[in-house]
């Protein structure tokens, strides 16, 4: 979705998320658990790997149109 927090943060399909605010995640279930701690308006630092490089980005949680 064009206005989703992930799209705004430039996270891409093949990026591998490794941490959320310093908490290691290594499964989809672990990522979902980590993300449930945040509310609309919160910010988190997401660490991820893209093309072998580790990167970080700030993500702001918000509502977005899914239509």
């Amino acid at each position: 979705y064009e206005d989703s927090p992930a799209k705004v943060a430039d996270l891409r399909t093949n990026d591998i998320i490794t941490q959320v605010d310093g908490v290691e995640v290594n499964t989809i279930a672990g990522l979902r658990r980590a993300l449930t701690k945040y509310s609309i308006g919160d910010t988190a630092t997401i660490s991820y790997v893209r093309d072998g490089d580790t990167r970080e980005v700030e993500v702001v949680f918000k509502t977005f149109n899914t239509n």
Side-chain angles (χ1 to χ4, degrees):
Y1 301 107
E2 288 302 314
D3 64 340
S4 74
K7 180 72 171 182
V8 171
D10 193 35
L11 290 171
R12 299 179 188 171
T13 301
N14 292 320
D15 291 344
I16 301 168
I17 296 175
T18 58
Q19 293 184 358
V20 177
D21 274 343
V23 176
E24 186 174 324
V25 293
N26 49 27
T27 65
I28 295 295
L31 176 60
R32 287 184 181 138
R33 276 192 302 278
L35 296 178
T36 62
K37 299 175 184 174
Y38 298 90
S39 299
I40 301 302
D42 289 347
T43 302
T45 300
I46 305 294
S47 299
Y48 63 99
V49 176
R50 178 184 296 158
D51 299 326
D53 296 323
T54 299
R55 303 171 185 214
E56 286 189 348
V57 66
E58 292 290 317
V59 174
V60 178
F61 295 88
K62 65 178 192 129
T63 60
F64 61 97
N65 187 355
T66 59
N67 295 325

